[in-house]
Amino acid sequence: MVSLQELKAEQGAFPIDALRTLGYESSLAGERSWNGVAILARNHTPVLTRASLPGNPEDRQARYIEAAVHGFLITSIYLPNGNPQPGPKFNYKLAWLDRLITHAGELMATGVPVVLAGDYNVVPTPHDIYPTRSLDNNALIQPESRQAFARLLAQGWTDAMRKLHPDGPLWTFWDYKYERWPKDKGMRLDHFLLSPKMSERLVDGGLDRWVRGEVNASDHAPVWIMLDL
């Protein structure tokens, strides 16, 4: 299965047929020019259970979907960046995090196996970013952002990559600016949070770092985990 973020495409512009020829069925919430999230499953159609994050019916940004596949729930999360901060964009980020925490708590209470996957736009700890003071005002590392992420984990979610790799950097993002990729000045923004039943099934995980070095690559590298289902 694949969890995708920042599609920047409306529903009709997403290559559903091309992916189907490769063996993947899709569920998505698209948005023209911005945002957009999707879940792909090989030879199985993801059953969409939510096309938006609950808690604010006026929020139309395509940043959250949730689907059932093979007896568990998986999400695609594209959490707001929040810059510049302070300001309305940062306030929106924190409000969105509060809504995610509320909904995640409800999912946890059901006892169903869940994978909360996506681009969280939060650097959880100082160990998840290269040593720098240049980003002290960045919304990704603000105490409020980190505290909200910690509150989410405190519900009982397992940070899969940290469980597998407790030491050392796990950069998933390198900015296009200031030669941060060739200088390996990265940060960890992309996370798999697992409910207890899914954490028990965690086998392996890693980062396809080489993809970031390709021509016209995304500033994120793919992160993956393996579960014994």
Side-chain angles (χ1 to χ4, degrees), residues 29 31 67 82 96 127 146 161 163 183 188 210 220 223:
E31 184 177 343
W96 208 96
H127 300 293
R146 287 175 167 169
M161 292 300 289
K163 179 180 180 180
K183 294 179 179 179
R188 188 167 77 104
W210 64 268
H220 294 256
V223 186

Side-chain angles (χ1 to χ4, degrees), residues 133-169:
R133 295 299 305 274
S134 65
L135 298 173
D136 281 2
N137 292 324
N138 195 291
L140 307 179
I141 67 169
Q142 292 309 298
E144 297 94 331
S145 303
R146 287 175 167 169
Q147 289 164 8
F149 191 85
R151 281 167 40 219
L152 180 60
L153 288 179
Q155 293 176 338
W157 302 96
T158 295
D159 182 340
M161 292 300 289
R162 270 296 169 223
K163 179 180 180 180
L164 293 167
H165 307 283
D167 302 313

Side-chain angles (χ1 to χ4, degrees), residues 34-167:
W34 306 102
N35 306 322
V37 284
I39 293 169
L40 315 181
R42 185 183 289 275
N43 301 321
H44 186 89
T45 301
V47 178
L48 194 66
T49 54
R50 282 199 175 274
S52 62
L53 185 66
N56 182 0
E58 296 181 359
D59 186 357
R60 304 298 182 190
Q61 295 192 31
R63 293 186 173 275
Y64 182 93
I65 59 170
E66 176 187 298
V69 184
H70 297 305
F72 69 94
L73 290 178
I74 184 169
T75 70
S76 182
I77 293 169
Y78 182 41
L79 210 138
N81 177 284
N83 284 304
Q85 77 81 34
K89 290 187 176 181
F90 189 57
N91 295 339
Y92 174 60
K93 179 192 187 89
L94 296 181
W96 208 96
L97 273 163
D98 283 342
R99 289 163 54 201
L100 177 62
I101 290 167
T102 297
H103 182 56
E106 293 168 353
L107 291 177
M108 181 67 76
T110 68
V112 302
V114 182
V115 178
L116 298 179
D119 174 2
Y120 283 71
N121 269 317
V122 175
V123 177
T125 75
H127 300 293
D128 295 306
I129 185 171
Y130 73 98
T132 183
R133 295 299 305 274
S134 65
L135 298 173
D136 281 2
N137 292 324
N138 195 291
L140 307 179
I141 67 169
Q142 292 309 298
E144 297 94 331
S145 303
R146 287 175 167 169
Q147 289 164 8
F149 191 85
R151 281 167 40 219
L152 180 60
L153 288 179
Q155 293 176 338
W157 302 96
T158 295
D159 182 340
M161 292 300 289
R162 270 296 169 223
K163 179 180 180 180
L164 293 167
H165 307 283
D167 302 313

